[in-house]
Amino acid sequence: MKHTMATLAEKALEQGKGILRLAPTWVPRSFCVPGRRIKLHPDDYYVLGGARGGIDERWFSSTTPTENGPLTGKNEGLSPVVVEDDGKEVQILLKDVIDELKGKIIGDRLWNAYESWPMYSKFFDNMGPLPHHIHHNDEHAAKIGQKGKPEAYYFPPQVNNHGGDFPYTFFGISPGTTKEQIRECLVNFTKGDNKITNFSSAFRLEPGTGWDVPPGMLHAPGSMCTYEPQKASDVFAMYQSLVNEAIIPEELLWNGTPKDRIGDFDQLMEVIDWELNTDPNMLETRFMNPIPVAPMEEMEAQGYVDKWVCYRSDAFSAKELTVLPGETVTVKDNACYGMIMMQGHGKMGVWDIETPTLIRYGQLTHDEYFVTEQAAKEGVTIVNHSSTDPIVMLKHFGPENPDLKL
């Protein structure tokens, strides 16, 4: 018998005892070359065909569809929940489960404020650097019916066995640069190389650290495999015309500009938060070293280590949880979260958790879950089945995490 969405959603919640099992969500980008560090089978990076480009992202806990042009697949970017129904594994969308069960999944605090799950995370895995680009703030994004987009980066050691072609990220605009100089770069966008990164500084990327990128900040992400929590939005504009010898189409410069202001370079300049971009203390204000949530000795004595890895934004946050070999721990959080396994294997609640080495496109895994607010508050019991290998997982939280008091 075919069950309704409501029944299936309840069933998924009941089967996982408050923890939903998610299926991998792979996203291609026509303008990127995959870095091949996200565990997809080598034969599957171009499985969607040449026109779609290679798969260089995996999205986590996503209720946000991709903005990938006219060829975008149905439900692309949306995380499926795996539920057993009449002996078969079926998939329903996390978005539909949250729309159906609301606060029972994300908690009333978030549901009442957003009526949706307002963030997602991803692996971004590009062989080369991206163009210097910008994400609009809420005010500018609203002009094209979108939300602004703060984001953050963390470079997990487990997926960075190599740094790609350019493991350096440009941030902002070098102090002393004039607005006229940047505006001239934008005017020169169609003339080949507009050389906008001449007016920026690049920082070398270090596995096990991260960066905070508020909206209005110019940034050209480097080629490390990046875990990237962000607000649920896909708004951006490319301000660099040539990167890695590839020409960026002019339409991407005006992506995010209201129709009536396309061609108006002053509009592009308005999107730049000048003070933020010319901050001389980027390392102090935007760089993120992991911060233990409690004294290390105290946590290790309890069998685990929990660290904040993304903590400078109020739109989202992220933690790296390590469960030491052979240990059984119960970890409480005051907010719901999505998680992805980085290392190790064992149990989390009723579920097996494991870290696959290689995943075929369309294959199901046991490495990604969504923990409801109630389950998080009651405490999630994790058992590490290995006597040698730690369990390491990354956990992404929504806005204004009540536990984040830095």
Side-chain angles (χ1 to χ4, degrees):
M1 104 175 215
K2 202 160 161 42
H3 285 114
T4 64
M5 171 52 65
T7 327
L8 284 172
E10 287 285 3
K11 216 174 189 181
L13 188 59
E14 171 53 35
Q15 278 170 16
K17 302 279 180 273
I19 301 177
L20 304 173
R21 178 187 173 198
L22 303 183
T25 303
W26 306 103
V27 173
R29 294 294 192 191
S30 59
F31 52 84
C32 294
V33 176
R36 297 175 180 263
R37 291 162 297 197
I38 51 177
K39 303 178 183 178
L40 193 57
H41 189 284
D43 290 350
D44 293 351
Y45 280 101
Y46 290 90
V47 70
L48 298 171
R52 296 301 322 275
I55 290 171
D56 76 350
E57 298 185 5
R58 179 178 168 184
W59 288 22
F60 305 124
S61 310
S62 170
T63 57
T64 307
T66 58
E67 300 280 341
N68 245 344
L71 298 175
T72 305
K74 185 180 189 287
N75 298 335
E76 195 168 284
L78 296 174
S79 293
V81 172
V82 182
V83 55
E84 193 176 297
D85 187 36
D86 292 337
K88 283 201 286 290
E89 283 179 332
V90 299
Q91 296 182 32
I92 53 181
L93 294 177
L94 176 62
K95 181 184 191 314
D96 293 341
V97 173
I98 291 172
D99 286 347
E100 191 65 51
L101 298 179
K102 306 178 171 65
K104 277 173 91 170
I105 305 293
I106 62 172
D108 292 337
R109 175 182 72 89
L110 288 179
W111 179 261
N112 294 340
Y114 300 94
E115 295 195 345
S116 66
W117 170 236
M119 70 84 68
Y120 65 104
S121 192
K122 64 165 78 155
F123 281 154
F124 163 77
D125 172 43
N126 204 36
M127 186 63 84
L130 275 197
H132 220 25
H133 67 276
I134 201 161
H135 300 290
H136 304 62
N137 64 17
D138 281 336
E139 181 196 343
H140 285 292
K143 296 174 185 171
I144 57 159
Q146 288 214 50
K147 291 187 166 66
K149 182 165 146 175
E151 60 188 27
Y153 308 145
Y154 177 67
F155 311 111
Q158 293 86 353
V159 285
N160 279 297
N161 57 318
H162 68 88
D165 292 343
F166 192 79
Y168 304 84
T169 292
F170 287 95
F171 288 106
I173 296 167
S174 299
T177 306
T178 66
K179 290 185 178 177
E180 288 67 37
Q181 285 170 310
I182 295 298
R183 192 179 188 282
E184 190 184 351
C185 290
L186 300 178
V187 172
N188 288 338
F189 192 90
T190 52
K191 298 176 186 169
D193 184 359
N194 71 344
K195 300 182 178 175
I196 192 168
T197 51
N198 287 7
F199 302 102
S200 186
S201 301
F203 294 84
R204 184 176 167 188
L205 306 180
E206 180 70 27
T209 70
W211 288 86
D212 177 58
V213 187
M217 166 103 140
L218 277 162
H219 55 292
S223 57
M224 274 206 175
C225 187
T226 305
Y227 169 76
E228 189 180 5
Q230 55 207 269
K231 189 156 152 176
S233 164
D234 208 6
V235 69
F236 70 91
M238 297 295 189
Y239 279 20
Q240 184 181 0
S241 60
L242 180 85
V243 70
N244 236 17
E245 303 311 315
I247 288 285
I248 309 302
E250 190 194 5
E251 74 219 38
L252 294 180
L253 172 67
W254 301 106
N255 190 39
T257 300
K259 292 248 184 313
D260 61 337
R261 294 200 64 184
I262 288 178
D264 179 351
F265 292 96
D266 294 333
Q267 159 69 20
L268 299 178
M269 291 299 295
E270 283 166 27
V271 173
I272 300 173
D273 181 328
W274 195 259
E275 202 174 323
L276 181 70
N277 279 274
T278 53
D279 176 6
N281 298 321
M282 288 288 182
L283 265 177
E284 186 191 348
T285 55
R286 304 272 73 92
F287 178 69
M288 292 183 292
N289 248 329
I291 297 178
V293 306
M296 288 292 283
E297 311 72 61
E298 203 177 287
M299 290 190 290
E300 283 167 355
Q302 292 171 24
Y304 70 96
V305 173
D306 204 10
K307 294 178 177 177
W308 293 106
V309 292
C310 297
Y311 47 77
R312 292 190 184 274
S313 174
D314 60 5
F316 52 78
S317 55
K319 284 178 174 176
E320 179 186 71
L321 174 67
T322 301
V323 179
L324 302 176
E327 296 284 355
T328 296
V329 304
T330 300
V331 179
K332 293 184 179 184
D333 287 281
N334 283 306
C336 65
Y337 57 90
M339 58 73 73
I340 177 71
M341 286 287 286
M342 300 307 300
Q343 192 174 336
H345 71 283
K347 294 282 281 193
M348 181 171 75
V350 299
W351 295 109
D352 289 327
I353 49 172
E354 59 196 20
T355 313
T357 304
L358 201 60
I359 309 168
R360 294 301 310 231
Y361 185 86
Q363 182 185 339
L364 294 180
T365 57
H366 280 99
D367 67 345
E368 189 188 353
Y369 293 88
F370 191 94
V371 178
T372 62
E373 185 185 85
Q374 189 183 345
K377 283 182 163 173
E378 287 170 2
V380 174
T381 299
I382 300 167
V383 186
N384 188 339
H385 284 166
S386 173
S387 60
T388 52
D389 201 19
I391 281 174
V392 182
M393 62 176 73
L394 295 172
K395 297 161 58 167
H396 23 278
F397 298 87
E400 286 149 20
N401 188 331
D403 295 323
L404 181 58
K405 298 183 175 69
L406 292 173

Coordinates of all heavy atoms in Angstrom, one line a residue, residues 119-124 135 149-156 171 209-215 219 221 225-231 286-288 309-318 396:
M119 N 19.5 26.7 6.7 CA 20.9 26.6 6.3 C 21.1 25.2 5.6 O 20.2 24.4 5.6 CB 21.8 26.7 7.6 CG 21.8 25.5 8.6 SD 22.9 24.1 8.1 CE 24.5 24.9 8.3
Y120 N 22.2 25.0 5.1 CA 22.7 23.7 4.6 C 24.2 23.7 4.6 O 24.8 24.8 4.9 CB 22.1 23.3 3.2 CG 22.6 24.2 2.1 CD1 23.6 23.7 1.2 CD2 22.1 25.4 1.8 CE1 24.0 24.5 0.1 CE2 22.5 26.2 0.7 CZ 23.5 25.7 -0.1 OH 23.9 26.5 -1.2
S121 N 24.8 22.6 4.5 CA 26.3 22.6 4.4 C 26.6 21.8 3.2 O 25.8 21.2 2.5 CB 26.9 22.0 5.7 OG 28.3 22.2 5.7
K122 N 27.9 21.8 2.8 CA 28.3 21.0 1.6 C 29.8 20.7 1.7 O 30.5 21.3 2.5 CB 28.0 21.8 0.3 CG 28.8 23.1 0.3 CD 28.8 23.8 -1.2 CE 27.6 24.5 -1.5 NZ 27.8 25.5 -2.6
F123 N 30.2 19.8 0.9 CA 31.6 19.7 0.5 C 31.7 20.4 -0.8 O 31.0 20.1 -1.8 CB 32.1 18.2 0.3 CG 32.4 17.5 1.5 CD1 32.3 16.1 1.5 CD2 32.8 18.1 2.7 CE1 32.6 15.4 2.7 CE2 33.1 17.4 3.8 CZ 33.0 16.0 3.8
F124 N 32.7 21.3 -0.9 CA 33.0 22.0 -2.1 C 34.4 21.5 -2.5 O 35.3 21.6 -1.7 CB 33.0 23.5 -1.9 CG 33.7 24.3 -3.0 CD1 33.0 24.5 -4.2 CD2 34.9 24.8 -2.8 CE1 33.7 25.2 -5.2 CE2 35.6 25.5 -3.8 CZ 35.0 25.7 -5.0
H135 N 28.7 37.4 -2.2 CA 27.3 37.0 -1.9 C 26.6 38.3 -1.4 O 27.2 39.0 -0.5 CB 27.3 35.9 -0.9 CG 28.0 34.6 -1.4 ND1 27.5 33.9 -2.5 CD2 29.1 34.1 -1.1 CE1 28.3 32.9 -2.7 NE2 29.3 33.0 -1.9
K149 N 23.5 35.7 1.8 CA 24.2 34.5 2.1 C 25.6 34.6 2.8 O 26.6 34.8 2.1 CB 24.5 33.7 0.7 CG 25.2 32.4 0.9 CD 25.0 31.5 -0.3 CE 26.3 30.7 -0.5 NZ 26.1 29.8 -1.6
P150 N 25.6 34.5 4.1 CA 26.8 34.3 4.8 C 27.2 32.9 4.6 O 26.4 32.0 4.5 CB 26.5 34.6 6.3 CG 25.0 34.5 6.4 CD 24.4 34.6 5.0
E151 N 28.5 32.6 4.7 CA 29.0 31.2 4.6 C 30.3 31.1 5.4 O 30.9 32.1 5.9 CB 29.2 30.8 3.2 CG 30.3 31.6 2.4 CD 30.3 31.3 0.9 OE1 29.3 30.8 0.3 OE2 31.4 31.5 0.3
A152 N 30.8 29.9 5.6 CA 32.0 29.7 6.3 C 32.7 28.5 5.8 O 32.1 27.6 5.1 CB 31.8 29.5 7.8
Y153 N 34.0 28.4 6.0 CA 34.8 27.3 5.5 C 35.5 26.5 6.6 O 36.0 27.2 7.6 CB 36.0 27.8 4.5 CG 35.5 28.7 3.4 CD1 36.3 29.7 3.0 CD2 34.3 28.5 2.8 CE1 35.9 30.6 2.0 CE2 33.9 29.3 1.8 CZ 34.7 30.4 1.4 OH 34.3 31.2 0.4
Y154 N 35.6 25.2 6.5 CA 36.5 24.4 7.3 C 37.1 23.4 6.4 O 36.4 22.9 5.5 CB 35.7 23.8 8.4 CG 36.5 22.8 9.3 CD1 37.5 23.4 10.1 CD2 36.3 21.5 9.3 CE1 38.3 22.5 10.9 CE2 37.1 20.6 10.1 CZ 38.1 21.2 10.9 OH 38.9 20.3 11.7
F155 N 38.4 23.1 6.6 CA 39.1 22.2 5.7 C 39.5 20.9 6.4 O 40.5 20.8 7.1 CB 40.4 22.9 5.2 CG 40.2 24.3 4.6 CD1 40.7 25.4 5.3 CD2 39.4 24.5 3.5 CE1 40.4 26.7 4.9 CE2 39.2 25.8 3.0 CZ 39.7 26.9 3.7
P156 N 38.6 19.9 6.3 CA 38.8 18.7 7.1 C 40.0 17.9 6.6 O 40.2 17.7 5.4 CB 37.5 17.9 6.8 CG 36.5 18.8 6.1 CD 37.4 19.9 5.4
F171 N 40.8 37.1 0.1 CA 39.8 37.6 0.9 C 39.8 39.1 0.8 O 40.9 39.7 1.0 CB 39.9 37.2 2.4 CG 39.5 35.8 2.6 CD1 40.5 34.9 3.0 CD2 38.2 35.3 2.6 CE1 40.2 33.6 3.2 CE2 37.9 34.0 2.8 CZ 38.9 33.1 3.1
T209 N 41.6 24.1 9.9 CA 41.2 25.4 10.3 C 40.1 25.9 9.3 O 39.8 25.2 8.4 CB 42.4 26.4 10.2 OG1 42.7 26.6 8.8 CG2 43.7 25.9 10.9
G210 N 39.7 27.1 9.6 CA 38.6 27.6 8.7 C 38.5 29.2 8.6 O 39.3 29.9 9.2
W211 N 37.6 29.6 7.8 CA 37.4 31.1 7.6 C 35.9 31.4 7.6 O 35.1 30.6 7.2 CB 38.0 31.5 6.3 CG 39.5 31.5 6.3 CD1 40.3 30.4 6.0 CD2 40.3 32.6 6.5 NE1 41.6 30.8 6.1 CE2 41.7 32.1 6.4 CE3 40.1 33.9 6.8 CZ2 42.8 33.0 6.6 CZ3 41.2 34.8 7.0 CH2 42.5 34.3 6.9
D212 N 35.6 32.6 8.0 CA 34.2 33.1 8.0 C 34.1 34.1 6.9 O 34.9 35.0 6.7 CB 34.0 33.8 9.4 CG 32.6 34.4 9.5 OD1 31.6 33.7 9.3 OD2 32.5 35.7 9.7
V213 N 33.0 34.0 6.1 CA 32.8 34.9 5.0 C 31.4 35.5 5.0 O 30.4 34.9 4.6 CB 33.0 34.1 3.7 CG1 32.9 35.1 2.5 CG2 34.3 33.3 3.6
P214 N 31.3 36.7 5.6 CA 30.0 37.4 5.7 C 29.6 37.8 4.3 O 30.4 38.0 3.4 CB 30.3 38.6 6.6 CG 31.6 38.4 7.2 CD 32.4 37.5 6.2
P215 N 28.3 38.1 4.1 CA 27.8 38.7 2.8 C 28.5 40.0 2.6 O 28.8 40.7 3.5 CB 26.3 38.8 3.0 CG 26.0 38.7 4.4 CD 27.1 38.0 5.1
H219 N 35.6 37.2 -2.2 CA 36.4 36.1 -1.8 C 36.6 35.2 -3.1 O 35.7 35.1 -3.9 CB 35.8 35.3 -0.7 CG 34.4 34.9 -0.9 ND1 33.3 35.7 -1.0 CD2 33.9 33.6 -1.1 CE1 32.2 35.1 -1.2 NE2 32.5 33.8 -1.3
P221 N 37.7 31.5 -3.4 CA 38.1 30.3 -2.7 C 39.1 29.5 -3.4 O 39.2 29.3 -4.6 CB 36.8 29.5 -2.6 CG 35.7 30.5 -2.7 CD 36.2 31.5 -3.7
C225 N 39.5 20.9 -0.5 CA 38.2 20.4 -0.3 C 37.6 21.0 1.0 O 38.2 20.9 2.0 CB 38.2 18.8 -0.2 SG 36.5 18.2 -0.2
T226 N 36.5 21.7 0.8 CA 36.0 22.6 1.8 C 34.7 22.1 2.4 O 33.8 21.8 1.6 CB 35.9 24.0 1.3 OG1 37.1 24.4 0.7 CG2 35.4 25.0 2.3
Y227 N 34.6 22.0 3.7 CA 33.3 21.8 4.3 C 32.7 23.2 4.6 O 33.4 24.1 5.1 CB 33.5 21.1 5.6 CG 32.3 21.1 6.6 CD1 31.2 20.2 6.3 CD2 32.3 21.8 7.7 CE1 30.2 20.1 7.2 CE2 31.2 21.7 8.7 CZ 30.2 20.9 8.4 OH 29.1 20.8 9.3
E228 N 31.5 23.5 4.0 CA 31.0 24.9 3.9 C 29.6 25.0 4.4 O 28.6 24.9 3.7 CB 31.1 25.3 2.4 CG 30.9 26.7 2.2 CD 31.0 27.1 0.7 OE1 31.2 26.2 -0.1 OE2 30.9 28.3 0.4
P229 N 29.4 25.3 5.7 CA 28.1 25.6 6.2 C 27.7 27.0 5.7 O 28.5 27.9 5.6 CB 28.2 25.6 7.7 CG 29.6 25.4 8.0 CD 30.4 25.4 6.8
Q230 N 26.4 27.2 5.4 CA 26.0 28.5 4.8 C 24.5 28.7 5.0 O 23.7 27.7 5.2 CB 26.3 28.6 3.3 CG 25.7 27.4 2.5 CD 26.6 27.1 1.3 OE1 26.3 27.7 0.2 NE2 27.6 26.3 1.4
K231 N 24.0 29.9 4.9 CA 22.6 30.2 4.9 C 22.0 29.6 3.7 O 22.6 29.5 2.6 CB 22.4 31.7 4.9 CG 21.0 32.2 5.2 CD 21.0 33.6 5.8 CE 19.7 34.3 5.5 NZ 19.7 35.6 6.1
R286 N 38.4 37.1 10.8 CA 37.7 36.1 9.9 C 38.3 34.7 10.0 O 37.6 33.7 9.7 CB 37.8 36.6 8.4 CG 37.2 38.0 8.2 CD 35.7 38.0 7.9 NE 34.9 37.7 9.0 CZ 34.3 38.7 9.8 NH1 34.6 39.9 9.6 NH2 33.5 38.3 10.8
F287 N 39.5 34.5 10.4 CA 40.1 33.2 10.5 C 39.6 32.5 11.7 O 39.2 33.1 12.7 CB 41.7 33.4 10.6 CG 42.4 32.1 10.8 CD1 42.5 31.2 9.7 CD2 43.0 31.7 12.0 CE1 43.2 30.0 9.8 CE2 43.7 30.5 12.1 CZ 43.8 29.6 11.1
M288 N 39.4 31.1 11.6 CA 38.9 30.3 12.7 C 39.8 29.1 12.9 O 39.9 28.2 12.1 CB 37.5 29.9 12.3 CG 36.5 31.0 12.3 SD 34.7 30.5 12.0 CE 34.8 29.9 10.3
V309 N 34.1 24.5 15.0 CA 35.0 24.8 13.9 C 34.5 26.0 13.1 O 35.2 26.7 12.4 CB 35.2 23.6 13.0 CG1 36.0 22.5 13.7 CG2 33.9 23.0 12.5
C310 N 33.1 26.3 13.1 CA 32.6 27.5 12.5 C 31.7 28.2 13.6 O 30.7 27.6 14.0 CB 31.7 27.1 11.3 SG 32.7 26.4 10.0
Y311 N 32.1 29.4 14.0 CA 31.5 30.0 15.1 C 31.4 31.5 15.0 O 31.0 32.2 16.0 CB 32.3 29.7 16.4 CG 33.8 29.8 16.3 CD1 34.4 31.1 16.3 CD2 34.6 28.7 16.1 CE1 35.8 31.2 16.2 CE2 36.0 28.8 16.0 CZ 36.6 30.1 16.0 OH 38.0 30.2 15.9
R312 N 31.7 32.2 13.9 CA 31.7 33.6 13.8 C 30.4 34.2 13.2 O 30.2 35.4 13.2 CB 32.9 34.1 13.0 CG 34.2 33.9 13.7 CD 35.3 34.7 12.9 NE 36.6 34.5 13.5 CZ 37.2 35.1 14.5 NH1 36.5 36.1 15.1 NH2 38.4 34.9 14.8
S313 N 29.5 33.3 12.8 CA 28.2 33.8 12.2 C 27.0 33.5 13.1 O 27.1 32.4 13.8 CB 28.0 33.1 10.8 OG 26.7 33.5 10.3
D314 N 26.0 34.3 13.1 CA 24.8 33.9 13.9 C 23.8 33.2 12.9 O 22.7 32.7 13.4 CB 24.2 35.1 14.6 CG 23.7 36.2 13.6 OD1 23.8 36.0 12.4 OD2 23.3 37.3 14.1
A315 N 24.2 33.0 11.7 CA 23.2 32.3 10.7 C 23.4 30.8 10.8 O 22.5 30.1 10.3 CB 23.5 32.8 9.3
F316 N 24.5 30.3 11.3 CA 24.8 28.9 11.4 C 26.0 28.7 12.3 O 26.7 29.6 12.6 CB 25.1 28.3 10.0 CG 26.1 29.1 9.3 CD1 27.5 28.9 9.6 CD2 25.8 30.0 8.3 CE1 28.5 29.7 9.0 CE2 26.8 30.8 7.7 CZ 28.1 30.6 8.0
S317 N 26.3 27.4 12.6 CA 27.5 27.1 13.3 C 27.9 25.7 13.0 O 27.0 24.9 12.5 CB 27.4 27.4 14.8 OG 26.4 26.6 15.4
A318 N 29.1 25.2 13.3 CA 29.5 23.8 13.1 C 30.5 23.4 14.1 O 31.3 24.2 14.6 CB 30.0 23.7 11.7
H396 N 26.4 20.3 11.6 CA 26.0 21.7 11.2 C 24.7 22.1 11.8 O 23.7 21.3 11.7 CB 26.0 21.8 9.6 CG 25.8 20.5 8.9 ND1 26.8 19.7 8.6 CD2 24.7 19.9 8.4 CE1 26.4 18.6 8.0 NE2 25.1 18.7 7.9

